[in-house]
Amino acid sequence: CALPIWQHAFRKLLALPEFEPVGIVRSEESKAALVKSGVPADAVTVADVTDEAAIAAALAGCDALIIGTSAKPAPSGETDESTGRPIFGFPNGQPEAVDWLGQKSQIDGAKAAGAIHVVLCSSMGGTDPGNMLNALGRESLPDGSTKGGDILLWKRKAEKYLIDSGVPFTIVHPGGLLNEPGGKRQLVLGVDDERTVGERSIPREDVAEVLVQALRIPAYRGRSFDLRSMNEGEGAVTTDFAALLDELGGRDCDYSLGKMA
């Protein structure tokens, strides 16, 4: 089973003596699995991101925060009669609850704790309201309106909330996620869903490395960018993460583009 981005980042931080990370998981079962894999029990706390009070308590005293929260789509078992394709839903929480309210509660908790940096892992695709990811879990109602879904619109709303919060931030929009080893590719930064060179994908472990480096390198604060990679074997493997940021030429993502929920 592939590790999620947040867990890659958490394990990288555990290995760095300059950090004393605490991972927040949703259930005791998740904590037990981490502890069984070798993570110290006192480095994991249980709190549901949709429970504002629990998250505020979990974040008390934190200096910095990496947010890797995302609603996870899954097949509902039903099929769209018009297309023949499976219908997806969000059995563990709709994007509005997880990607907006859950991220908002974490941003608020970090701000209340006096955190000096919040790094948010979001997604590419935010400039296109018609992106297919927004259709996942969306239902059409009899009156012509819709409910549910719109994951990228809710993510974008959380991003803007973080920018406006006054807390120093870094926002990373990875492309399509690959279950392949990190540290073997040239990484590519951009803005606003552009794709000039490289692929529209990136290994999860490489995303996690950039999230960690964003905490370590002050120049990453106040930046919002897309993150992709070249194919393995193309270009030079990225090792200088301060120089990587120079690819942006001072540009950041433009939030006047696209749409928010």
Side-chain angles (χ1 to χ4, degrees), residues 24-40:
I24 299 176
V25 295
R26 196 170 190 175
S27 67
E28 290 291 347
E29 291 78 11
S30 295
K31 177 176 179 176
L34 282 174
V35 172
K36 186 177 180 180
S37 73
V39 174

Side-chain angles (χ1 to χ4, degrees), residues 140-230:
S140 296
L141 303 178
D143 64 1
S145 63
T146 62
K147 73 171 184 177
D150 289 335
I151 188 168
L152 297 180
L153 275 60
W154 292 114
K155 284 182 181 292
R156 201 162 177 82
K157 184 169 184 173
E159 293 172 35
K160 190 63 166 60
Y161 184 81
L162 173 58
I163 291 170
D164 294 340
S165 72
V167 180
F169 66 89
T170 306
I171 298 170
V172 181
H173 305 113
L177 300 173
L178 302 173
N179 297 328
E180 297 179 9
K184 296 186 175 184
R185 295 170 179 247
Q186 179 174 328
L187 306 186
V188 180
L189 300 191
V191 297
D192 303 328
D193 295 321
E194 68 183 10
R195 179 183 166 189
T196 51
V197 296
E199 302 303 307
R200 201 174 174 82
S201 54
I202 182 169
R204 285 177 167 83
E205 190 177 353
D206 283 325
V207 178
E209 184 64 33
V210 171
L211 300 179
V212 170
Q213 293 298 332
L215 288 179
R216 305 179 85 186
I217 302 172
Y220 275 78
R221 297 185 187 185
R223 309 305 302 267
S224 177
F225 54 83
D226 302 339
L227 174 62
R228 301 178 295 105
S229 70
M230 307 283 278

Side-chain angles (χ1 to χ4, degrees), residues 27-155:
S27 67
E28 290 291 347
E29 291 78 11
S30 295
K31 177 176 179 176
L34 282 174
V35 172
K36 186 177 180 180
S37 73
V39 174
D42 60 0
V44 187
T45 190
V46 177
D48 191 323
V49 297
T50 62
D51 184 335
E52 193 170 348
I55 284 296
L59 291 175
C62 90
D63 297 313
L65 174 66
I66 293 177
I67 299 177
T69 306
S70 182
K72 293 180 174 58
S76 66
E78 300 178 11
T79 302
D80 185 327
E81 294 181 2
S82 63
T83 64
R85 295 177 179 173
I87 296 174
F88 282 77
F90 291 93
N92 295 315
Q94 279 281 344
E96 180 179 4
V98 178
D99 295 274
W100 162 232
L101 296 175
Q103 291 189 12
K104 178 180 180 295
S105 69
Q106 292 174 83
I107 295 164
D108 290 343
K111 184 174 183 177
I116 58 172
H117 194 186
V118 172
V119 179
L120 174 57
C121 183
S122 190
S123 175
M124 284 185 69
T127 64
D128 177 15
N131 188 290
M132 58 179 245
L133 293 178
N134 287 324
L136 297 178
R138 185 195 290 154
E139 296 180 50
S140 296
L141 303 178
D143 64 1
S145 63
T146 62
K147 73 171 184 177
D150 289 335
I151 188 168
L152 297 180
L153 275 60
W154 292 114
K155 284 182 181 292

